Amino acid sequence: MTEILNADAAGLARAAALLSQGGLVAFPTETVYGLGGDARSDLAVARIFEAKGRPRFNPLIVHVADMTMAKEVALFDARAERVAGAFWPGPLTLVLPLRSGARISDLVTAGLSTVAVRMPAHPVARALLSAFGGPVAAPSANPSGKVSPTRAEHVIAGLSGLIAAVVDGGPCAVGVESTILGLTGDPELLRPGGIPAEALEACLGTPLPEGGSAAKPSAPGQLASHYAPSAPIRLGATRPEPRELWIGFGPDARGADLNLSLTGDLVEAAANLFHFLREADARTEGTIAVSPIPERGLGRAINDRLRRAAAPRH
Ligand code: TXA
Ligand code: MG
């Protein structure tokens, strides 16, 4: 059962408690309703992908209450300070270098060394982030491929029974997602949204090329810089060859060096995926063999990630 919570002190305390337990809570922002989970918890973030039925682990936006929390997550240069000062809180997301030791789940960043951060303006979002006291990963609160929700009823229509709660804060004012500004190199517009590009150009004093030209794929899920282990990867391995490091899945892979989930739980497997790939990479000079993963539910996103990691590199 999905709880429908009022945006009052009791409702927000309940929502914050659910987030602390690794539960998923949908909440209003000024753009659209977000599907929030503790950005530091691999399991909570895996549940976000499961609830949305996302076929890919594309990176998520980390929502923060204030600048102190933002700077615990990402590195701000002078440009980032300036746009944050001008447009936060508000419908602007900044892609910045991830701070080392930030403890953000690899599932949030999709293993990248950059992170998308946003300080929303909606009073209910701000109150929830302050009550929770930590960074919250939140994509739009709709099933993958469906329209973004701007009312609590939309969230219920799409995700009822799949998430712990929704905080009902009424309709969202902006209705389109946040503008995404990339500041890891020269400034680039990664997604148009609630803050007009012209306003950002005026603030930065430079024209903003749009990311997404032929040279730069717009969907970060396609980026070549996406984390991949340096070791070669062999998929569909029901047993290891000599000297292979075996990442297993399920009870049949009891003898594996690492097991994504001994019980065959795909949410647990997704939560373990990135750090097991890193650990396997650190532990072997040879090949990493990975058990077959069923192509259902989160298994589709896991297999998508594994296929990318196993693809030829250049
Ligand atoms: O208005 C919004 O931004 C809403 C509300 C809930 O805050 N959230 C939202 O999240 O739209 P989502 O997950 O639907 O969009 C995240 C976007 C994706 O296009 C993703 O590719 C991009 O942010 N993104 C996240 N991390 C990134 C990174 N490190 N580099 C480049 N793009 C990134
Ligand atoms: Mg979305």
Side-chain angles (χ1 to χ4, degrees), residues 27 29 31-35 52 54 58-61 63 91 93 95-96 108-109 112-116 118 120 138-141 148 176-180 190-191 218-221 223:
F27 61 95
T29 78
T31 60
V32 300
Y33 273 73
L35 178 56
K52 283 184 67 85
R54 270 209 185 168
N58 28 12
L60 304 177
I61 296 171
H63 295 68
T93 294
V95 174
L96 300 171
V108 170
T109 57
L112 296 166
S113 55
T114 58
V115 63
R118 152 158 145 78
S140 52
S148 294
V176 296
E177 272 96 346
S178 60
T179 301
I180 304 183
L190 297 175
R191 179 176 76 182
S218 58
L223 288 182

Side-chain angles (χ1 to χ4, degrees), residues 144-188:
S144 187
K146 297 282 161 51
V147 180
S148 294
T150 53
R151 290 170 181 267
E153 303 90 271
H154 302 163
V155 178
I156 287 297
L159 297 174
S160 183
L162 299 174
I163 64 177
V166 54
V167 181
D168 188 349
C172 304
V174 179
V176 296
E177 272 96 346
S178 60
T179 301
I180 304 183
L181 175 65
L183 286 178
T184 54
D186 287 338
E188 56 177 346

